[in-house]
Amino acid sequence: DAGITQSPRHKVTETGTPVTLRCHQTENHRYMYWYRQDPGHGLRLIHYSYGVKDTDKGEVSDGYSVSRSKTEDFLLTLESATSSQTSVYFCAISAFPRDRTDTQYFGPGTRLTVL
Amino acid sequence: AQSVTQPDIHITVSEGASLELRCNYSYGATPYLFWYVQSPGQGLQLLLKYFSGDTLVQGIKGFEAEFKRSQSSFNLRKPSVHWSDAAEYFCAVGAEGAQKLVFGQGTRLTINP
């Protein structure tokens, strides 16, 4: 299994509070991704990173920001959480461009509940 | 842009029966195609992928998938399912240079004893 951990694994917070989720990898891969998973929507890309300090938006980036100060860590921040951000969040990594197929490997997920 | 459709939201099969999960994609060139499986409360695990060559791809846990360009499909099959195969299955499509995968909505598989 790819060395990916996510923390916390579960979090309950209140509307309007800031939340930061952490993804940590031990594979030294350049690309990292944040997805959210909701019933009926599959996985949707929030943001991704293609290197330290290099990030870009995905299809559902509103209300989220990311940072990557080290190769191994990719942080997802909800500046002011809303109930619509209740979801399961997955981090993924890929060895692109060494692996040109961009095969992605996923972490265990973080279940976030915003009350 | 790529897109993926998994027409079946939920499928129920009996243990020991054969299985086929459907996946249709939309992309102008040759895609990279993936199947992932997600057990309850777990992350996604890669079952298999297609990127070139033989259109019949073998994966882990006895699964296989066939790429059919003429039908824009990449269906997942297993000759005999086990109770442990109950999970959600996701098809995904990527493209050369895109650095992004697009996922289908998933198919939930239930196994009857």
Side-chain angles (χ1 to χ4, degrees):
Chain A
D1 289 344
I4 311 169
T5 57
Q6 293 185 233
S7 58
R9 294 293 313 279
H10 301 271
K11 186 170 183 67
V12 179
T13 191
E14 294 190 349
T15 297
T17 59
V19 176
T20 295
L21 309 183
R22 180 182 183 238
C23 177
H24 179 78
Q25 60 144 332
T26 58
E27 306 295 323
N28 200 35
H29 285 347
R30 181 177 162 193
Y31 278 74
M32 299 184 74
Y33 307 81
W34 277 108
Y35 291 88
R36 61 178 289 172
Q37 182 180 30
D38 304 289
H41 291 278
L43 277 81
R44 293 180 291 175
L45 182 65
I46 305 171
H47 282 278
Y48 69 101
S49 169
Y50 47 97
V52 173
K53 297 193 187 327
D54 292 322
T55 65
D56 204 351
K57 297 179 180 180
E59 64 175 301
V60 291
S61 60
D62 287 349
Y64 301 95
S65 62
V66 290
S67 65
R68 190 161 177 209
S69 59
K70 299 184 291 185
T71 298
E72 57 266 35
D73 289 326
F74 191 32
L75 304 181
L76 176 71
T77 297
L78 292 64
E79 301 288 351
S80 178
T82 68
S83 58
S84 64
Q85 294 175 311
T86 292
S87 186
V88 181
Y89 291 87
F90 287 98
C91 175
I93 64 174
S94 91
F96 189 88
R98 283 184 285 123
D99 171 8
R100 65 184 177 90
T101 67
D102 191 26
T103 303
Q104 295 184 17
Y105 300 91
F106 286 79
T110 294
R111 182 173 296 277
L112 176 67
T113 302
V114 184
L115 301 176
Chain B
Q2 313 99 286
S3 68
V4 178
T5 301
Q6 293 181 246
D8 305 305
I9 295 174
H10 184 204
I11 285 182
T12 300
V13 299
S14 298
E15 190 167 16
S18 64
L19 172 70
E20 183 169 29
L21 301 182
R22 297 184 291 163
C23 173
N24 295 100
Y25 70 90
S26 173
Y27 181 60
T30 299
Y32 301 140
L33 294 160
F34 306 82
W35 275 101
Y36 288 85
V37 60
Q38 183 183 31
S39 298
Q42 305 295 314
L44 278 73
Q45 180 183 22
L46 179 68
L47 279 177
L48 49 79
K49 68 179 182 182
Y50 169 82
F51 57 97
S52 68
D54 194 346
T55 57
L56 185 63
V57 180
Q58 302 296 320
I60 62 171
K61 304 187 180 190
F63 286 92
E64 67 178 25
E66 187 171 12
F67 171 55
K68 293 186 176 180
R69 185 188 303 275
S70 62
Q71 298 177 19
S72 297
S73 69
F74 188 56
N75 294 349
L76 181 71
R77 301 193 294 248
K78 187 170 185 178
S80 176
V81 297
H82 185 262
W83 63 265
S84 60
D85 293 324
E88 188 147 21
Y89 291 79
F90 292 93
C91 181
V93 62
E96 181 88 41
Q99 299 113 52
K100 298 179 193 177
L101 296 185
V102 175
F103 285 81
Q105 294 183 345
T107 297
R108 184 161 60 94
L109 176 65
T110 299
I111 308 294
N112 280 339

